[in-house]
Amino acid sequence: MNSNTTAAVDAVTEVPSDKVAPWDVEITQGQILYASLTCFIAWVASVYDYTLFGTLLPVIAEDFGWTTAQATAVNTWATIGVFAISLIVGTILDKLGRKKALILLVIGGAISSGLSGLATGIASMVIIRSFSGFAVSEEVVNSVYLNEIYKKARNRGLMYSLVQSGWPVGALLAAFMVSWLLPTVGWRGSFFIAAAASIIVIVMALKLPESPVFAAMKEVERRRKAGDLQGAQQLAAQHDIEVDHGHDLGIKGVFTPELRKHTISLSLVWLLSWMAIQVFAVLGTTVLVEAKSVTFESSLQVLILANAVGFVGYLFHGWLGDRIGRRNTVLIGFVLGGLASLALLVGPSTDSFVYGMYALTLFFLLGPFAAMLFYMGESFPPQVRGMGANVAHVMAPIGAIIGSALVSVLLTMGFPMGTTAIIAGSVPLIISGLLMFGTRHVDHTATH
């Protein structure tokens, strides 16, 4: 590199002595707490929107005159749109940054909620609900962003579980708001309220600090392209980042020989577990009404109780992940969740048994995601963390598509809902737990 180039590099990389470089900024405890609160509320709002559609589906179907099979088919096509939207999230994370990604995804979720209340039929509902792909992908941003913000924090898994517990809180809020407001504002008004909640998150997210790891990634890449390889390598070593030489970023980076088995296994875990999510969480009211003869009003009460237990499940699995490893926690949790759902569907239809087993199902179905999301962030190297997390996570809507489609097909063929839910939900959940054997071992005690 000649003297002119060297001078140019030095001029660009020089940081004023009175200012800390963005990649060397120390994240304060106050910023960690604020980021945790913001990401928690963002996830609550996202889940509120996502599960609200499933919760209201029986009412929407009745309003439009859809059969149960038609309603689940609408959900299937909408989920295909969710998948398409989710594909771009990894690129947004690794190119634009963690903070901007969070803001953009919350805006997308708000659009999905607001326009859902204006749907006029099958076609418009499918198109509008596709934008909820932004909402459901918000947890990918959380897993990547908070993994980097929590770098030196103790009990990181437990802290993240508090954020990820926004799923049962959001679902609980959706069920509660439906039971409270549906008679007054109808299903359309319920979506408008969900959209309004997202505005709060956008305002809070504007004050978030950007991840120093992301800032370091961009500076390492800038130095490499400028020819300052030594400076790039030094900064990369400080932040556990690998220097890209043009072949280890993007989609190729998560399918290198070192990561291929892990990426495929983790993707399949997401696919199969989300078949179960679709059956027992999103379509929970439909399953309870059709398979266990629970009234719609009672099914809302069951959802509220079960999601309250699911909240405890998040905290438990987050705590357990810090002690036995997040990989092991996910494996055990999903297997037990599959067995609990199986007992729910083949057991008696008494209120106490149905309430208890459905709550236990959500405890072991939702809870492991507290460990799963944080594990996903720590199991991929920083330079492909956004892409790796997103490649695995986009399999979630595919699993939802398959789960919803399988439910529709089996119901159309005449299978009872109980048998349908076992095939489309219970069995895939057990298999997803076993597939964790194919993922990478990570030292869960390390603080980087």
Side-chain angles (χ1 to χ4, degrees), residues 29-375:
Q29 187 64 32
Q31 288 176 315
I32 290 176
L33 293 175
Y34 183 78
S36 300
L37 177 62
T38 301
C39 289
F40 170 77
I41 297 176
W43 187 222
V44 169
S46 298
V47 174
Y48 181 20
D49 165 71
Y50 187 73
T51 59
L52 186 63
F53 178 64
T55 302
L56 288 171
L57 191 55
V59 178
I60 297 173
E62 182 179 359
D63 189 24
F64 284 123
W66 300 337
T67 65
T68 301
Q70 286 177 318
T72 55
V74 168
N75 189 66
T76 300
W77 285 106
T79 309
I80 292 175
V82 168
F83 166 71
I85 293 294
S86 300
L87 289 174
I88 65 174
V89 174
T91 299
I92 293 175
L93 265 169
D94 287 338
K95 295 295 183 181
L96 299 183
R98 316 326 192 190
K99 176 181 176 178
K100 290 181 180 178
L102 176 60
I103 294 172
L104 288 174
L105 266 60
V106 173
I107 291 174
I111 293 174
S112 169
S113 298
L115 293 183
S116 293
L118 302 176
T120 58
I122 290 178
S124 60
M125 183 64 80
V126 168
I127 294 172
I128 292 168
R129 292 310 302 171
S130 296
F131 285 94
S132 64
F134 286 114
V136 76
S137 295
E138 195 278 328
E139 66 179 341
V140 176
V141 181
N142 284 356
S143 71
V144 173
Y145 178 64
L146 293 180
N147 188 281
E148 295 171 354
I149 294 294
Y150 291 169
K151 279 186 69 176
K152 298 181 180 179
R154 298 182 59 185
N155 297 316
R156 295 173 298 150
L158 179 59
M159 290 174 61
Y160 185 79
S161 72
L162 288 167
V163 175
Q164 187 60 21
S165 67
W167 177 284
V169 173
L172 182 68
L173 186 62
F176 174 75
M177 294 295 282
V178 167
S179 63
W180 181 39
L181 294 175
L182 186 61
T184 304
V185 302
W187 65 266
R188 296 182 185 276
S190 298
F191 282 114
F192 295 148
I193 293 173
S198 298
I199 298 175
I200 300 173
V201 183
I202 296 171
V203 174
M204 293 183 68
L206 291 173
K207 299 179 181 180
L208 287 173
E210 181 54 273
S211 161
V213 176
F214 175 76
M217 282 171 48
K218 304 309 289 183
E219 176 62 13
V220 166
E221 179 63 9
R222 191 203 60 74
R223 292 182 185 183
R224 185 191 70 80
K225 290 182 177 179
D228 183 15
L229 296 182
Q230 182 178 359
Q233 291 171 349
Q234 288 176 346
L235 183 58
Q238 294 174 16
H239 292 273
D240 299 319
I241 300 170
E242 296 180 14
V243 179
D244 171 39
H245 294 288
H247 57 78
D248 56 354
L249 288 185
I251 192 70
K252 292 182 180 178
V254 298
F255 286 102
T256 58
E258 297 79 12
L259 293 175
R260 185 181 301 122
K261 179 182 177 183
H262 172 67
T263 300
I264 293 173
S265 297
L266 198 58
S267 297
L268 290 175
V269 171
W270 273 99
L271 186 149
L272 291 168
S273 62
W274 262 72
M275 289 180 66
I277 286 285
Q278 191 71 11
V279 173
F280 297 114
V282 178
L283 297 175
T285 51
T286 302
V287 171
L288 290 172
V289 170
E290 299 293 333
K292 307 305 293 185
S293 300
V294 177
T295 65
F296 178 73
E297 291 73 21
S298 295
S299 71
L300 290 177
Q301 297 175 11
V302 177
L303 277 179
I304 292 173
L305 171 65
N307 278 289
V309 175
F311 174 82
V312 179
Y314 272 95
L315 301 186
F316 171 77
H317 287 88
W319 170 85
L320 186 63
D322 280 332
R323 283 149 183 80
I324 69 172
R326 285 169 265 281
R327 176 177 177 270
N328 295 334
T329 298
V330 175
L331 192 160
I332 295 170
F334 281 162
V335 170
L336 292 178
L339 295 176
S341 67
L342 187 62
L344 165 71
L345 294 167
V346 301
S349 296
T350 59
D351 288 346
S352 59
F353 185 81
V354 170
Y355 279 47
M357 293 312 299
Y358 186 64
L360 199 60
T361 295
L362 291 196
F363 182 89
F364 287 116
L365 169 61
L366 302 181
F369 282 98
M372 170 85 116
L373 268 295
F374 198 79
Y375 166 77

Side-chain angles (χ1 to χ4, degrees), residues 371-418:
M372 170 85 116
L373 268 295
F374 198 79
Y375 166 77
M376 190 164 63
E378 68 185 358
S379 65
F380 286 102
Q383 72 276 7
V384 292
R385 185 166 287 150
M387 181 60 70
N390 193 55
V391 165
H393 189 267
V394 295
M395 299 304 289
I398 293 180
I401 293 167
I402 295 174
S404 182
L406 189 55
V407 168
S408 297
V409 169
L410 292 175
L411 290 176
T412 302
M413 292 174 62
F415 281 85
M417 179 59 84

